[in-house]
């Protein structure tokens, strides 16, 4: 009975506690890279799309934790929701700033062209007309969009979740049915994240090089998925088991490929990015322009 009690404590309390900590660390992975991009005034090659899906992911799992009254799932995702909001706001700021800068550059170039035209004609009246035309072109210049591409993605994801949660709470359905709807929806949300590790695996096989795999990211994600698998088996919750089981499987495949294929110069930790987790070499390592998102968070 003592061994059984120890196993119960480990599976039901220790594993999800470690999983919640690893989930938060994984959510926070892009923070350093975004700070660097904000200093540079540009996203560069950072891909903010996973951050929008991170928001949907955390909203879904928080709703699931309310339905199941699971504090471990709650604390694994509550910090992630706050982090995702900060990441998304930062990405939207940078995208808008980039559009403003682009428009300003176009207007400046047109102004310089108008001045050169006026000087060549050596006619004050013509120069005045040219300047006047240039002012009109500035007015006619298409302003930056009021809605950035990332804002649109985030709004679409939030609206979908708002509809799902409204339906599950306002319709006369029981708790098990609510758990089913939210559980399926949040697992579908995670499908987009699986594209990243699958893409990485295909890249490694195609190039015969594991340099695109960031070692510590791989270790953290695989460990995170493992602890949540143990917990989900202990409480027999297959909505938690399925995504993390797949995440653990992808992690093992990446580990095997990392051992089989040479990795040469691995990506430096300072250049790592993403949420979810991504190898965002963009801001630090210009030799690589591809950001691979890898995440397994519940």
């Amino acid at each position: 009975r003592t061994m059984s009690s120890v196993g119960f404590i480990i599976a039901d309390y220790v594993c999800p506690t470690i999983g919640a900590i690893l989930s938060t660390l994984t959510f926070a992975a892009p923070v350093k890279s975004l700070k660097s991009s904000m200093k540079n005034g540009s996203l560069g090659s950072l891909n903010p799309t996973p951050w929008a899906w991170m928001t949907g992911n955390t909203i879904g799992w928080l709703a699931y934790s309310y339905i199941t009254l699971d504090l471990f799932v709650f604390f694994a995702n509550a910090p992630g929701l706050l982090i995702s909001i900060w990441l998304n706001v930062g990405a939207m700021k940078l995208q808008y700033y980039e559009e403003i800068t682009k428009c300003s550059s176009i207007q400046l170039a047109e102004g310089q062209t108008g001045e050169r035209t006026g000087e060549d004609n050596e006619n004050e009246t013509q120069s005045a007309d040219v300047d006047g035309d240039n002012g009109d072109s500035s007015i006619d210049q298409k302003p930056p969009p009021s809605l950035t591409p990332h804002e649109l993605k985030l709004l679409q994801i939030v609206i979908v979740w708002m509809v799902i949660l409204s339906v599950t709470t306002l319709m006369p359905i029981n708790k098990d049915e609510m758990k089913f709807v939210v559980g399926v929806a949040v697992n579908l949300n995670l499908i987009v994240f699986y594209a990243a590790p699958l893409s990485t695996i295909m890249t490694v096989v195609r190039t015969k090089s594991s340099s695109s795999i960031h070692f510590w990211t791989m270790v953290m994600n695989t460990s995170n998925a493992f602890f949540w698998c143990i917990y989900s088996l202990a409480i027999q919750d297959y909505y938690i088991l399925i995504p993390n089981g797949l995440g653990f499987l992808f992690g093992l495949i990446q580990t095997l490929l990392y051992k089989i294929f040479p990795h040469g110069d691995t990506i430096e930790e300072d250049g790592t990015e993403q949420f979810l987790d991504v190898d965002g070499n963009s801001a630090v390592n210009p030799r690589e322009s591809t950001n691979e998102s890898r995440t397994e968070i519940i």
Side-chain angles (χ1 to χ4, degrees):
R1 282 189 305 206
T2 302
M3 291 298 295
S4 176
S5 299
V6 171
F8 171 79
I9 292 173
I10 292 175
D12 283 50
Y13 294 98
V14 176
C15 285
T17 299
I18 296 174
I21 294 172
L22 290 176
S23 293
T24 301
L25 292 175
T26 306
F27 281 127
V31 169
K32 187 175 182 180
S33 295
L34 181 58
K35 283 184 177 180
S36 177
S37 293
M38 294 184 77
K39 289 181 181 179
N40 297 330
S42 174
L43 278 171
S45 59
L46 287 183
N47 177 19
T49 299
W51 305 340
W53 289 102
M54 183 199 299
T55 300
N57 183 58
T58 51
I59 289 174
W61 283 116
L62 284 174
Y64 189 81
S65 71
Y66 297 146
I67 296 172
T68 60
L69 301 178
D70 193 321
L71 289 177
F72 293 113
V73 175
F74 174 83
F75 285 111
N77 290 276
L81 178 58
L82 298 177
I83 293 171
S84 73
I85 291 173
W86 182 82
L87 292 172
N88 285 305
V89 169
M92 291 183 287
K93 286 179 180 178
L94 287 174
Q95 283 189 345
Y96 188 76
Y97 178 75
E98 289 171 354
E99 290 295 329
I100 288 288
T101 304
K102 186 187 301 181
C103 290
S104 299
S105 299
I106 294 174
Q107 292 174 8
L108 179 61
E110 290 178 347
Q112 292 174 345
T113 301
E115 289 177 4
R116 286 196 296 271
T117 302
E119 292 174 0
D120 293 340
N121 291 335
E122 296 179 352
N123 188 311
E124 293 182 0
T125 304
Q126 292 178 349
S127 296
D129 291 338
V130 171
D131 289 338
D133 292 341
N134 198 48
D136 293 338
S137 65
S138 296
I139 295 175
D140 294 338
Q141 179 68 39
K142 184 179 179 180
S146 57
L147 194 65
T148 65
H150 192 69
E151 281 180 295
L152 183 59
K153 292 176 185 176
L154 182 62
L155 282 173
Q156 290 172 338
I157 293 172
V158 171
I159 289 173
V160 168
W161 272 108
M162 183 176 66
V163 171
I164 292 173
L165 297 181
S166 297
V167 169
T168 55
T169 54
L170 298 178
M171 288 186 65
I173 59 177
N174 58 42
K175 185 176 179 179
D176 289 336
E177 291 171 332
M178 291 175 63
K179 180 179 177 181
F180 171 78
V181 173
V182 175
V184 170
V186 78
N187 276 274
L188 291 175
N189 192 134
L190 283 171
I191 289 178
V192 70
F193 294 142
Y194 294 148
L198 283 175
S199 175
T200 300
I201 291 171
M202 296 302 296
T203 299
V204 172
V205 173
R206 186 178 66 254
T207 62
K208 308 298 182 186
S209 171
S210 61
S211 59
S212 61
I213 298 177
H214 184 256
F215 178 77
W216 291 112
T217 290
M218 175 184 67
V219 171
M220 184 167 64
N221 287 333
T222 306
S223 301
N224 183 38
F226 171 76
F227 287 117
W228 284 111
C229 283
I230 297 298
Y231 175 65
S232 61
L233 287 172
I235 64 173
Q236 296 183 350
D237 192 322
Y238 298 104
Y239 296 111
I240 298 176
L241 176 62
I242 292 173
N244 287 284
L246 289 174
F248 182 61
L249 176 62
F250 291 147
L252 292 179
I253 294 175
Q254 288 185 353
T255 303
L256 181 62
L257 293 176
Y258 188 83
K259 291 294 183 181
I260 294 176
F261 296 109
H263 39 273
D265 294 332
T266 56
I267 299 168
E268 297 179 5
E269 279 188 57
D270 290 342
T272 61
E273 153 62 350
Q274 208 110 292
F275 146 116
L276 271 217
D277 174 10
V278 182
D279 295 330
N281 346 6
S282 58
V284 180
N285 185 0
R287 293 174 297 177
E288 290 286 339
S289 61
T290 302
N291 293 330
E292 299 291 349
S293 303
R294 291 187 296 275
T295 182
E296 240 43 73
I297 353 186
I298 111 166

